[in-house]
Amino acid sequence: MVTSAIHRRWKGDVLISSLAEAGLPAASLVGPAKIATIEAKDADVLGRLPAQDRDVLTTILQEHFPH
C-alpha cells in the first residue's frame, strides 16, 4: 500500500526517499503491513520506487513471509 505520509505510521512502513522518481506529489510511504491486489489494467504507472526503498521493503517482506 502506498499512502500519504501524514497518516499514522505502522511498524515496517517505509518512507519513500525520492518523490520525483516515484512520481508522487507529496511525502508518501509504503505500508507492507497492508497488502492488496488490483487488476494491472486498473493501475497507472506514475514512477518507480527508488532502489534503496525496494531493498528495505524486500527485507521486511522476507521477514514476514519467509520461504
Side-chain angles (χ1 to χ4, degrees), residues 7-51:
H7 294 284
R8 189 179 82 199
R9 295 181 69 174
W10 289 36
K11 181 180 178 187
D13 285 356
V14 177
L15 194 60
I16 296 174
S17 62
S18 173
L19 298 178
E21 186 176 347
L24 298 170
S28 300
L29 55 86
V30 178
K34 295 182 180 180
I35 297 175
T37 61
I38 63 169
E39 294 288 335
K41 66 180 178 60
D42 295 329
D44 295 323
V45 176
L46 301 176
R48 285 182 63 93
L49 191 62

Side-chain angles (χ1 to χ4, degrees), residues 42-67:
D42 295 329
D44 295 323
V45 176
L46 301 176
R48 285 182 63 93
L49 191 62
Q52 64 196 30
D53 301 342
R54 287 193 309 267
D55 292 343
V56 171
L57 285 167
T58 297
T59 299
I60 290 168
L61 290 171
Q62 286 174 339
E63 290 171 358
H64 283 46
F65 303 102
H67 298 64

